Amino acid sequence: MFKRDLGTRTGEQVSALGLGCWAIGGPVTMDGKPAGWGEVDDDESIRAIRHALELGVTLFDTADAYGCGHSERVLGRALAGRRDDVVITTKVGNLFDEHTRTLSGSDVSPAYLRSACDASLRRLDTDRIDVYLIHNGIAGPDAVPAVVDVLEELVAAGKVRWYGSSMSDPAIVRAMAEGPHMVAVQHELNVLRGELEALSIAEELGLASLNRTPLAMGLLGGRYRPDALPAPDDVRRNAPWWDFFDEGAMERWLERITRVRAELTTDGRSLVQGALGWIWGHSPATLPLPGFRTVAQVQENVSAARYGPLPAECMERIRAILGAPLPA
């Protein structure tokens, strides 16, 4: 595993690949629809996280809403005894009920941010959050200063080291970047589509670019087709945030993958490893966060580091074939 800067504002480096912990949160619902990735085996999740540690992964991304607190609890258990070896990012802003495992609305009021931070610390079994990301709930840039004031208060209290935005609206990101300890923006980026303005802001301001959907919600894994879809209780079949598995759209995405498969699999890489290499080759600020549920998935994801960024000539050929990633 090689390392990259956690932006230029922290003076700290992390593994160039992190792991996204949404999928290990297990089932939740939102508006009566599945908003998780289906049933999960906690013991396998813990084995996978510990295997990642053995392979040099030091960056783990979760959220209080993932599994309505369950992902944070599992991550905390898995990192017991290794807390000082890693950087944990978690998120706040979505309301949820841990008992019914339902998501409902958002809140970034001062009182809620304070109480939610304490709750995440308990679930993660830690005394500090390395990067606290706003997940949802900021109406616009005018609402940012009040949120930043509370985040700075949490930094001063030693509960948070740095903070950032998982809301990728450029105006919100720029407003939050006025904060002294704002270090990261999380945004969509993969070879098919991405939020490129958020990446440009990260490069301009020295923020870490934390990349969600680096494998297009698994479509770049190569296993899904119109006749082989994720399970009906999987968020990828039910959420409005992407159309990778929608009838009609899925076929078009798969056709784009087919056109660049040879470039992505150069040097013996798997499709997954090529897709992660593309992200590293796209910008030195990027830190992809592929999800996982098994040891085998972690192994394949982390093995992408053996190859590193895609060669420049492959990047150019992909750009010639597809152009820039489509807007997310």
Side-chain angles (χ1 to χ4, degrees), residues 183-204:
V183 302
V185 55
Q186 187 168 120
H187 62 94
E188 183 165 353
L189 184 65
N190 56 67
V191 70
L192 301 175
R193 67 180 225 176
E195 295 170 308
L196 298 184
E197 189 171 354
L199 174 58
S200 294
I201 293 171
E203 293 170 329
E204 173 192 343

Side-chain angles (χ1 to χ4, degrees), residues 285-301:
T286 55
L287 294 165
L289 301 168
F292 68 96
R293 281 191 282 190
T294 67
V295 171
Q297 288 171 327
V298 165
Q299 180 68 44
E300 182 173 22
N301 291 341

Side-chain angles (χ1 to χ4, degrees), residues 183-309:
V183 302
V185 55
Q186 187 168 120
H187 62 94
E188 183 165 353
L189 184 65
N190 56 67
V191 70
L192 301 175
R193 67 180 225 176
E195 295 170 308
L196 298 184
E197 189 171 354
L199 174 58
S200 294
I201 293 171
E203 293 170 329
E204 173 192 343
L205 300 180
L207 307 176
S209 165
L210 304 174
N211 310 130
R212 56 177 171 249
T213 70
L215 302 177
M217 307 310 293
L219 193 63
L220 282 159
R223 61 179 289 196
Y224 294 114
R225 306 179 307 277
D227 62 345
L229 295 167
D233 65 345
D234 191 305
V235 67
R236 292 173 288 181
R237 299 280 300 279
N238 299 282
W241 306 304
W242 52 79
D243 62 356
F244 294 123
F245 300 94
D246 292 356
E247 185 176 354
M250 184 179 187
E251 290 81 355
R252 293 192 294 273
W253 291 121
L254 289 171
E255 189 273 335
R256 290 176 69 82
I257 294 171
T258 297
R259 290 167 61 192
V260 294
R261 180 183 288 270
E263 300 299 335
L264 292 174
T265 56
T266 190
D267 301 330
R269 303 168 195 248
S270 69
L271 185 60
V272 162
Q273 293 160 354
L276 295 171
W278 180 90
I279 290 178
W280 288 322
H282 193 72
S283 168
T286 55
L287 294 165
L289 301 168
F292 68 96
R293 281 191 282 190
T294 67
V295 171
Q297 288 171 327
V298 165
Q299 180 68 44
E300 182 173 22
N301 291 341
V302 176
S303 293
R306 294 205 311 260
Y307 301 97

Side-chain angles (χ1 to χ4, degrees), residues 134-136 165-174 176 185-188 194-199 201 210 212 328:
I134 299 298
H135 208 173
N136 197 11
S165 181
S166 186
M167 298 183 68
S168 50
D169 177 277
I172 290 174
V173 175
R174 286 192 179 278
M176 284 197 67
V185 55
Q186 187 168 120
H187 62 94
E188 183 165 353
E195 295 170 308
L196 298 184
E197 189 171 354
L199 174 58
I201 293 171
L210 304 174
R212 56 177 171 249

Side-chain angles (χ1 to χ4, degrees), residues 22-38:
W22 182 7
I24 66 169
V28 296
T29 60
M30 181 175 66
D31 299 329
K33 296 180 179 180
W37 295 59

